[in-house]
Structures are given as C-alpha cells and as structure tokens.
Amino acid sequence: MKTDRDAKNSPAIAAAGRKGLSRQEMARVAAHDIPEGSCVNLGIGVPTLIADYVPAGRELLLHSEQGLLGLGPAPRPGEEDPDVLNAGKQFVTLLPGASVFSHSDSFLMVRGGHIDIACLGAFQVAGNGDLANWTTDAEGQIPGVGGAMDLAAGAARVWVLMEHVQKSGEPRILEHCTYPLTAAGCVDRIYTDLAVIEVTPAGLVVSRLLEGMDFAELQAVTGARLSLAPDCGPYVPAAVTAGPSHHHQGGGR
C-alpha cells in the first residue's frame, strides 16, 4: 500500500520541481521552429505567446480563430486597442497588411485546410497523438471544446505546447488520455518545459532534451514510452542565439 510519503518521493512528484524552460522560453523555441511563410493558428495558453518571439526577418501569417490574420506581439503599456484581442482575450497588435474578418470566414480557413500549423495548449497527449484539451468545469478555462476540434482536424500539422507534468507531478503525456478527446491521432509535435517530442508512427521520439536532464529521468515523468532520437540535441531557449523578433522592430506598433 502506497503512503503519502511514497507519493511525495515518487519520480514524477520530484521532477515537478525541476527548473525547466519557462512558458515564454517554450514559445520562443516554437516560434523559431516555424518555417518561413507558414500560416499558423495560435491557440489559447502558451501558444499565444509565440507572437512575441517571431525571429527577425521571418515572414509568418499568425491567425486567431475569432477572425484575425497578421497578428503582432502584445502592445506596449498604454497602446492597447480593446478591439484587437487574441483567442485568449489578450491584447495584441496587427502588422501591416493584416486582415480582420468574420468568425465564420475564419473557420472556413480552418476547415478548408489553409492553416499550415495549429499551435494548441493541452491537458493531455497520448502516445499515438490523441489530444485532450477541453473541459466543462475547470475554473478559468473555456467551458467546452471551442474551436480546437476544428483546428486539430483541419490544420496540416498540430504542435502542442504545455508543461510536462501537472502541478501534482503526474504526467500529461500518457499511453492513453483519461480526459475526453478533442481529436484522435492529430498531434505531430509536443513542446514541454523539459523536452521536444515528435509523434511518429513508431511512437514518441525525443528530439531535444533539457540540458542537465538525462533520458531516464524524462521517461520517469512521462506516462508513455519514449525513445531518444540518434541526433537528439539540447533543449535551450532560442534567445541564447537569436536576435529580437521582427515584430518588435516597429511593425504594427
């Protein structure tokens, strides 16, 4: 029989206190990974931060499901426009050439296959790429599946950005999701505070791992079987080698 002391000493609980990448650093890494010219939807949660970290000179079309294309970063204090918000109801800016259109037109883009990458938050991801990112009773959360179901089905690729474990230390990456699914087998890549993980036909493959963390430690806090890519690299904030976002050089300000 397990005791409370056993739970507190479990690998999952211990790793919950590990210093991984911050939410901003995760967003910066993902922003640097987005290919030139991509049309990218930014979902609620960590993905909305991506708009602040697009690399200098990178041309992207950032999309928000309520009807915006050409999102820029958060405005400077005092420059907020109450009519320009992202999917998380946070203030953003519009870059030159941005478009504003109806919610129905926005979902025509999504369902028509015009989104190259959907960056979504999640509660859980399964080893086969199943996604669970909605609830009806969590405080502060959108009360329903929202547009995530359409994005998961309609986008060419789905990247998830989330913490690796819950506050309790329990894994968010599992063999099978225990929460209701948003979509089955849709996730292509997972960014957590500890690693970048590719979802492949052969299973979950770690392509980047937090510096100072070994593979066995990562596996101990993951509820699905992982494998290590032969060319696995260090998972470090892109800010170490990157310049400021082109969004912060006057565009849309």
Side-chain angles (χ1 to χ4, degrees):
M1 179 177 178
K2 290 186 177 181
T3 65
D4 289 342
R5 183 174 181 180
D6 292 330
K8 290 177 182 177
N9 292 332
S10 73
I13 298 294
R18 172 177 276 281
K19 179 66 173 177
L21 269 62
S22 69
R23 292 163 65 90
Q24 290 76 15
E25 289 168 339
M26 291 162 57
R28 188 184 291 271
V29 172
H32 281 246
D33 286 349
I34 298 172
E36 175 80 17
S38 297
C39 182
V40 182
N41 175 272
L42 302 182
I44 296 170
V46 180
T48 59
L49 299 172
I50 288 174
D52 291 336
Y53 299 110
V54 176
R58 184 78 54 84
E59 291 297 328
L60 304 178
L61 285 173
L62 300 183
H63 172 268
S64 191
E65 67 180 56
Q66 77 273 25
L68 299 178
L69 187 65
L71 291 182
R76 296 187 179 94
E79 297 182 5
E80 298 89 349
D81 183 338
D83 291 325
V84 184
L85 305 173
N86 62 22
K89 300 182 180 179
Q90 300 158 324
F91 293 115
V92 291
T93 52
L94 295 177
L95 300 178
S99 299
V100 179
F101 38 89
S102 72
H103 193 262
S104 58
D105 285 338
S106 182
F107 274 86
L108 284 173
M109 292 179 61
V110 173
R111 295 169 183 168
H114 303 292
I115 304 298
D116 296 310
I117 304 171
C119 294
L120 303 175
F123 294 134
Q124 295 176 340
V125 176
N128 66 346
D130 289 352
L131 171 68
N133 75 343
W134 68 283
T135 181
T136 58
D137 58 2
E139 184 177 352
Q141 298 291 336
I142 302 299
V145 70
M149 182 168 59
D150 297 89
L151 287 160
R157 285 175 287 172
V158 175
W159 293 358
V160 164
L161 289 81
M162 66 179 186
E163 279 81 14
H164 202 91
V165 299
Q166 302 178 32
K167 291 181 180 178
S168 66
E170 297 307 310
R172 293 179 182 270
I173 301 174
L174 305 167
E175 287 292 350
H176 305 285
C177 294
T178 60
Y179 293 170
L181 294 187
T182 304
C186 65
V187 178
D188 298 288
R189 181 181 292 175
I190 308 166
Y191 292 84
T192 78
D193 49 330
L194 304 180
V196 179
I197 301 170
E198 310 294 335
V199 183
T200 77
L204 300 177
V205 179
V206 180
S207 59
R208 279 170 274 179
L209 182 60
L210 184 71
E211 284 192 319
M213 186 177 205
D214 61 43
F215 177 74
E217 187 180 2
L218 181 69
Q219 181 64 78
V221 295
T222 306
R225 185 175 179 275
L226 303 172
S227 61
L228 193 65
D231 58 349
C232 180
Y235 187 32
V236 295
V240 172
T241 56
S245 165
H246 79 281
H247 289 64
H248 286 281
Q249 298 177 355
R253 291 286 185 173

